[in-house]
Amino acid sequence: MILGANGQVGWQLQQQGLALKRIDTFPLEIIPIARQGTQLTLDLTDSSAIQTVIRTHQPHIVINAAAYTAVDRAESEPELALEINGTVPGVLAVAVEKIGGLLIHYSTDYVFDGTSSTPYLETDSTTPINAYGQSKLIGEQAIQAKAQNHLILRTSWVYDVRGKNFLLTMAKLAQTRPQISVVNDQIGSPTSAPLIARITYQILAQLLATPDWQTLTGLYHLTAQGFTSWYGFAENIVAHLAESSSHPLAELIPISTRDYPTAAQRPAFSRLNCQKLQQTFGITLPAWEREFGIVWQTWLQSRPT
Ligand SMILES: NC(=O)c1ccc[n+]([C@@H]2O[C@H](COP(=O)([O-])OP(=O)(O)OC[C@H]3O[C@@H](n4cnc5c(N)ncnc54)[C@H](OP(=O)(O)O)[C@@H]3O)[C@@H](O)[C@H]2O)c1
């Protein structure tokens, strides 16, 4: 059961799950659930509906890709962010625990304050500096307290060729503005939704093949490898755009966070150390630039000519 099936990660989970099912490598039946547009719909603010849908369908695995992800808006509506990101995961955990299932949930690099100078480990202490990060941390803790069998995958800087994200915003601005100012002092790892979905299924395949799979559950960091700033990511986007565009593109201006005030404070450094995931599951995570190149090519090929 995939919750948040229309979001960036949820959509990819759905598409890749269907593809896996078609090639029959996975004994998979997928139940996509979103607020609208799916056969089964669910507003996650309705906790009794969550319990009913899980009790009725008895999924072996519930993947929660739904979240309140508007980081700046969360500062002015922290209660809603807390409900979706903090309370709902706990409700899911209880419902999944009751049917003996596995809950897979995504969290964020924004649970950290960004003062580290080395990539954060799963065991590092969490001190969110904005309402979104605080709400996501409460969600993690609720799952850890209430569901024995859970996987929490913390990821960062998620993008895809659909949805609301930095890639699409920059690509649009680069083609419509003469100049774009982008912060160059926040460091992290851009991670594509296709990569997150792919690794989720690789982990699942391994869990299914492991008799004592319960020993492998818990908290993991999952991002593409390497790092950049938002400015560096924008440079990469504009360079790729330049290869396929005959129009003039915006000039990028590096600026500091101080010069770009936002409602939410963001960690200056949010690289996540992904060794635990790579070692436990024998997975090699790609460099972010390589993964971005693949996503870009897929996008070019799918655009009408
Ligand atoms: N985006 C990032 O940069 C980022 C970074 C780090 C971690 N993460 C985490 O990665 C996970 C996936 O993020 P994403 O980027 O795929 O998010 P997304 O594209 O914003 O999708 C989130 C989905 O949650 C759904 N949702 C929100 N409130 C809901 C409600 N009350 N009832 C039902 N559905 C609701 C939204 O539905 P509607 O389409 O109906 O609004 C949306 O489809 C999340 O846990 C997020 O916290 C994301």
Side-chain angles (χ1 to χ4, degrees), residues 64-290:
N64 179 29
Y68 180 107
T69 54
V71 176
D72 286 313
R73 197 157 16 104
E75 297 298 313
S76 55
E77 40 185 36
E79 294 85 6
L80 184 57
L82 185 61
E83 183 173 8
I84 307 293
N85 294 342
T87 309
V88 165
V91 174
L92 287 172
V94 171
V96 173
E97 183 73 6
K98 270 191 194 149
I99 60 163
L102 167 68
L103 175 61
I104 302 183
H105 176 79
Y106 301 96
S107 190
T108 172
D109 53 335
Y110 284 8
V111 295
F112 296 112
D113 64 7
T115 54
S116 178
S117 53
T118 54
Y120 285 100
L121 291 163
E122 287 82 352
T123 47
D124 282 338
S125 62
T126 44
T127 324
I129 55 173
N130 57 44
Y132 166 75
Q134 182 65 33
S135 69
K136 292 293 294 184
L137 179 60
I138 290 170
E140 288 185 5
Q141 290 165 342
I143 290 173
Q144 286 160 339
K146 293 174 184 168
Q148 215 184 348
N149 296 323
H150 66 261
L151 270 179
I152 297 172
L153 304 172
R154 282 190 192 136
T155 190
S156 69
W157 295 25
V158 180
Y159 67 91
D160 198 357
V161 297
R162 61 179 291 287
K164 264 194 200 151
N165 58 61
F166 186 80
L167 162 61
L168 295 181
T169 303
M170 279 302 130
K172 185 169 176 208
L173 292 179
Q175 296 175 90
T176 51
R177 301 262 178 96
Q179 290 185 328
I180 320 171
S181 300
V182 191
V183 295
N184 71 347
D185 55 359
Q186 288 171 31
I187 302 299
S189 306
T191 304
S192 78
L195 177 67
I196 296 168
R198 201 160 72 235
I199 300 298
T200 302
Y201 283 121
Q202 284 179 24
I203 293 174
L204 261 183
Q206 295 221 22
L207 292 182
L208 288 174
T210 307
D212 55 348
W213 60 270
Q214 287 91 341
T215 57
L216 302 180
T217 55
L219 173 65
Y220 293 90
H221 287 173
L222 160 55
T223 69
Q225 296 302 277
F227 62 95
T228 188
S229 64
W230 290 113
Y231 175 78
F233 190 15
E235 272 190 320
N236 214 296
I237 293 166
V238 172
H240 276 79
L241 207 51
E243 286 172 13
S244 60
S245 168
S246 50
H247 300 289
L249 299 173
E251 178 195 2
L252 293 176
I253 319 270
I255 57 165
S256 73
T257 300
R258 231 183 7 238
D259 296 327
Y260 187 73
T262 50
Q265 212 191 328
R266 286 169 171 76
F269 177 95
S270 63
R271 288 183 67 192
L272 302 179
N273 181 317
C274 301
Q275 285 304 315
K276 182 183 171 194
L277 181 138
Q278 301 198 87
Q279 281 163 8
T280 305
F281 299 106
I283 286 169
T284 305
L285 293 164
W288 76 265
E289 296 96 325
R290 185 169 178 275

